[in-house]
Amino acid sequence: MSDLVKPAHKKELFGHPVGLYVLFFTEMWERFSYYGMRALLTLYMTAQTLENDPQSGLGWTKTEALALYGWYTMLVYLMSIPGGFIADRLIGQKKAVTIGAILLTAGHGVLAIDAIWAYYTGLGLVILGVGMLKPNISTMVGGLYKQNDIRRDKGFSIFYVGINLGSFTASLSVGLVAAIYGWHYGFGLAGIGMLLGLIVYLYGQRFLIHVGNEPTVEEKSSDVSLATLFSQLFKSPLQLGIVVVLLVLSLYAGFTFEGPDNWGYGILFIVLSLVTGLMMMIYKNLNGQVEKDRYVVLLLSLLMVLVFWGCFEQMGGLMNLYAEEKTNRMFMGWEVPAAWFQGANAGFIILFAVLVANFWAKRKLKGKEASSLFKMAVGVIIMGVGFVYMVFASLQYEANGSSAMYWLVLAYLFHTLGELCLSPVSLSFFTKLAPVRYMALMMGVYWAATGLGNKVAGIIGESSVKAGELKVFGGLFIFAVLFGLLVILLLKPLKRLTHGAEDKETVVQDDETEGFELADH
């Protein structure tokens, strides 16, 4: 069949389906909008309120700003769960991505309006938009290729380059526009980026007609029902008792927790109580000791994910404010915008992703320890070491009244190297251990753990107001390194509990996928 008569969705460009490049640019502009806005978020909230000044912010305290930042980043990830469920069970990934892109465009557009109602409304729309788009566009990339197509890995590599390019260019351009013209122009530029992404996606629909369509009746019936799992909870007195106690404590927290968002924490604890009950029922329904042992290791990997993001996400919160307030950003007579430092993460990913992936591949070929648990633990340790440079920055600030930019750059470098060791590996490891019939539910739990880690990051950032940055950065360094070392000490018994889940793996040369599978947390 010649190209003249070949269906649009079967046409290729540079050896890959044209649909891949449609999704590439859609995701690139989506990440441009998200990371561009994220770079400004805490800076805008803590900026002084000034009359008729484009640099006027909300004038919030650091505690208030970091608290909202934590809630916001947590909800972005938690909304991926209903977003994926709606696509899988109701409308398909293609329509879900369209809805998500429209919500994001509207959200960023509203954020460009200088009014407090617009700020909250815009953030809400962005949360809903990312929840609909984020979990579904990656699924569509996989759907472009047949099950055993050897091009699939390279396709994901290309796709993840788009994520990093969007993040990197956003931090530079949006940050510069906000510094020169004002916050809302920066928010507006992020919205223009998302609008371009929406236009690309709608224009390219003819190349995506065979992926992301509405699920069939058979596909809907194959999913595990949440209602079924929770109904079984009422038949298990011990598990039901544990959940009831947790729910009572959650309600108590809602009434007694000090602070303006006490019921926010109460609702969060209620959700965590229900998730605990769900996890217990899954464990009870597993078949055999092998599945149960692997499930235990899977829960530990979730804990590592939570710890990692709880520390790492200081980047967009506390460290972002530190760059603004306490870092000497003068370079050759020009002040570097604080938001530019947020681009360091994506830039380092582009530079070091393949090198890190090749390091682990060569280590595995030599027969040295390169299991997923080991990589994840090393990732936590490397990320923790990055906070040493923030300790040095804090000491320099106490001595001189400001600290050098290179401390932040070095911290971001180590955080990124740790990210490349943990994040692409953790998601892959999760799919190896999770019971197949509960895979969709467990992937939701994975994103929930990521979101909870983001909220923990906000809480830690809030503590710096009383404890000071030096104690917080030092504490994060000590805790992360000790936690990673503890996992390494327990490595042998933990690997036994996986029952050889990774023993038959081989290293494929010239495979770049793992290195790029991260920019997007």
Side-chain angles (χ1 to χ4, degrees):
M1 185 182 291
S2 69
D3 284 346
L4 293 176
V5 295
K6 183 184 291 187
H9 70 275
K10 291 187 177 180
K11 290 185 177 180
E12 295 184 352
L13 181 65
F14 303 121
H16 289 274
V18 175
L20 173 66
Y21 302 98
V22 174
L23 298 178
F24 171 98
F25 285 107
T26 304
E27 179 69 352
M28 185 189 79
W29 286 116
E30 187 274 327
R31 290 291 88 183
F32 177 94
S33 68
Y34 175 76
Y35 279 102
M37 189 272 292
R38 175 180 172 270
L40 305 182
L41 201 58
T42 53
L43 302 178
Y44 169 67
M45 286 188 284
T46 56
Q48 284 185 313
T49 302
L50 304 169
E51 289 292 333
N52 301 318
D53 191 325
Q55 301 300 332
S56 176
L58 296 180
W60 290 8
T61 65
K62 186 184 292 186
T63 301
E64 293 169 334
L66 291 173
L68 181 64
Y69 176 80
W71 286 115
Y72 167 74
T73 51
M74 180 187 75
L75 289 172
V76 162
Y77 285 98
L78 287 183
M79 284 300 108
S80 295
I81 302 173
F85 178 82
I86 290 170
D88 290 340
R89 299 281 293 178
L90 300 174
I91 63 176
Q93 286 81 24
K94 195 184 312 183
K95 287 183 180 178
V97 171
T98 302
I99 293 171
I102 292 172
L103 288 171
L104 279 164
T105 302
H108 289 296
V110 172
L111 281 168
I113 300 173
D114 187 3
I116 191 64
W117 67 265
Y119 184 66
Y120 287 118
T121 303
L123 288 183
L125 289 171
V126 170
I127 289 169
L128 295 174
V130 174
M132 290 296 287
L133 189 147
K134 178 180 172 60
N136 295 309
I137 194 167
S138 296
T139 303
M140 291 180 67
V141 173
L144 293 171
Y145 301 90
K146 293 181 179 179
Q147 187 63 36
N148 297 317
D149 194 330
I150 60 173
R151 300 174 302 166
R152 180 191 296 262
D153 286 349
K154 289 290 181 68
F156 270 101
S157 294
I158 295 171
F159 178 71
Y160 284 112
V161 168
I163 292 174
N164 290 297
L165 286 176
S167 173
F168 181 71
T169 56
S171 299
L172 299 183
S173 57
V174 173
L176 183 61
V177 167
I180 297 175
Y181 299 105
W183 303 108
H184 296 283
Y185 283 92
F187 291 138
L189 178 58
I192 292 172
M194 190 60 247
L195 179 60
L196 290 173
L198 175 60
I199 292 171
V200 168
Y201 183 70
L202 294 176
Y203 176 78
Q205 288 294 291
R206 60 197 177 104
F207 300 108
L208 302 169
I209 60 174
H210 65 304
V211 294
N213 296 311
E214 292 185 24
T216 63
V217 175
E218 292 78 12
E219 289 171 335
K220 292 180 181 179
S221 62
S222 65
D223 288 342
V224 177
S225 170
L226 281 174
T228 301
L229 282 172
F230 278 117
S231 66
Q232 293 176 358
L233 184 63
F234 290 95
K235 302 176 184 178
S236 306
L238 177 60
Q239 286 84 358
L240 180 61
I242 293 172
V243 173
V244 169
V245 170
L246 290 174
L247 287 173
V248 170
L249 291 173
S250 300
L251 291 171
Y252 177 76
F255 281 110
T256 62
F257 193 89
E258 294 182 2
D261 51 355
N262 56 334
W263 270 108
Y265 283 104
I267 293 172
L268 174 60
F269 296 152
I270 289 172
V271 172
L272 292 177
S273 300
L274 295 175
V275 170
T276 300
L278 178 67
M279 301 297 280
M280 288 191 296
M281 294 316 303
I282 291 176
Y283 180 83
K284 189 174 182 179
N285 289 336
L286 294 178
N287 298 322
Q289 196 60 43
V290 171
E291 276 197 352
K292 291 185 176 181
D293 287 347
R294 287 178 173 177
Y295 188 75
V296 171
V297 180
L298 180 147
L299 294 180
L300 176 63
S301 71
L302 279 179
L303 181 59
M304 278 200 281
V305 167
L306 193 157
V307 167
F308 182 87
W309 294 118
C311 298
F312 179 93
E313 276 300 324
Q314 301 305 318
M315 183 181 296
L318 181 59
M319 292 171 68
N320 201 14
L321 291 175
Y322 190 93
E324 172 74 17
E325 299 171 358
K326 298 184 177 181
T327 302
N328 180 2
R329 293 178 280 114
M330 297 304 298
F331 179 74
M332 299 179 67
W334 179 68
E335 187 173 46
V336 178
W340 274 22
F341 291 94
Q342 297 299 299
N345 178 232
F348 284 138
I349 285 175
I350 294 171
L351 289 174
F352 294 108
V354 175
L355 292 176
V356 172
N358 287 342
F359 168 80
W360 288 115
K362 291 178 181 178
R363 185 177 173 87
K364 193 177 185 74
L365 283 173
K366 293 177 181 179
K368 296 181 179 180
E369 181 62 60
S371 63
S372 293
L373 284 170
F374 182 72
K375 292 179 187 177
M376 292 165 67
V378 169
V380 173
I381 292 172
I382 293 174
M383 181 273 300
V385 170
F387 284 107
V388 169
Y389 298 104
M390 295 310 300
V391 170
F392 292 152
S394 299
L395 291 172
Q396 189 178 61
Y397 173 80
E398 290 185 357
N400 304 326
S402 67
S403 59
M405 290 186 288
Y406 54 75
W407 296 124
L408 276 169
V409 175
L410 287 169
Y412 287 150
L413 170 61
F414 276 77
H415 287 179
T416 302
L417 294 175
E419 182 183 14
L420 289 170
C421 291
L422 179 135
S423 189
V425 175
S426 63
L427 190 55
S428 174
F429 186 59
F430 207 78
T431 61
K432 296 171 190 173
L433 296 185
V436 175
R437 62 190 180 282
Y438 296 116
M439 185 64 73
L441 283 175
M442 295 309 297
M443 290 311 300
V445 173
Y446 177 90
W447 290 117
T450 303
L452 186 59
N454 278 259
K455 179 55 187 169
V456 170
I459 295 173
I460 293 171
E462 292 177 57
S463 70
S464 67
V465 175
K466 293 183 178 179
E469 285 94 346
L470 179 59
K471 288 184 179 179
V472 170
F473 292 141
L476 288 172
F477 159 63
I478 294 170
F479 176 77
V481 171
L482 290 179
F483 183 85
L485 290 174
L486 177 62
V487 174
I488 291 176
L489 289 175
L490 297 174
L491 194 60
K492 286 186 178 180
L494 289 174
K495 287 177 67 176
R496 283 198 296 269
L497 290 176
T498 66
H499 294 277
E502 297 182 300
D503 288 351
K504 296 181 180 180
E505 290 185 337
T506 57
V507 177
V508 181
Q509 298 295 326
D510 196 33
D511 181 1
E512 306 167 277
T513 306
E514 184 180 28
F516 283 110
E517 265 186 330
L518 204 284
D520 177 30
H521 312 343

